[in-house]
Amino acid sequence: MKHFLVKTIANAAALAVAIWLLKDITLTGENTGRKILTLILVALIFGLVNFIVKPVVKLLSFPLFILTLGLITLVVNALMLLLTSWLAGKADLAFHVGGFWTALLGGVIISIVAWAMHVVLPDED
């Protein structure tokens, strides 16, 4: 349970940094409380997408991982962010990613910040 909480906090922080740095990744709401709730819900969706969909995509694209020496990971991360944006829209959450190139850069930012958050946050099970 603690691992899940740490992962969600790290995802929320990483998404917040990407929203702050990139103008085409937006999170809107009436007030700060609503924005925080939306951010946490989007972080949960992002975590589920990365837990359920990403391993399947990585398995199916394994030859491309070998061919590109792992650079296809950037594209997979961008697609997971776009899928999260689409699912958030279906769930009536005010989170939107404005295109593939924004998602690609956002995926890089989210990966770096999430890694840093995992280094800082305690995670003993």
Side-chain angles (χ1 to χ4, degrees):
M1 179 66 179
K2 190 173 182 181
H3 178 70
F4 174 74
L5 184 62
V6 168
K7 194 102 166 132
T8 302
I9 291 170
N11 281 340
L15 285 164
V17 170
I19 291 165
W20 178 61
L21 289 175
L22 301 173
K23 68 177 177 79
D24 286 339
I25 299 179
T26 58
L27 178 91
T28 55
E30 305 88 51
N31 54 35
T32 304
R34 181 72 176 163
K35 286 181 182 179
I36 291 171
L37 178 62
T38 302
L39 182 63
I40 292 170
L41 292 173
V42 169
L44 288 170
I45 292 171
F46 187 66
L48 284 173
V49 165
N50 282 328
F51 181 73
I52 296 170
V53 178
K54 191 173 184 178
V56 174
V57 171
K58 286 175 91 172
L59 179 67
L60 293 175
S61 62
F62 184 69
L64 289 174
F65 277 92
I66 294 170
L67 185 65
T68 64
L69 301 175
L71 289 176
I72 194 73
T73 303
L74 298 172
V75 174
V76 170
N77 288 342
L79 293 175
M80 296 304 109
L81 189 56
L82 286 171
L83 179 59
T84 300
S85 175
W86 181 77
L87 290 171
K90 293 295 180 185
D92 255 355
L93 297 172
F95 175 76
H96 180 69
V97 177
F100 175 77
W101 295 109
T102 301
L104 188 71
L105 187 54
V108 170
I109 292 168
I110 289 169
S111 296
I112 292 168
V113 174
W115 170 79
M117 290 297 294
H118 283 104
V119 168
V120 172
L121 291 173
D123 189 24
E124 59 271 348
D125 285 330

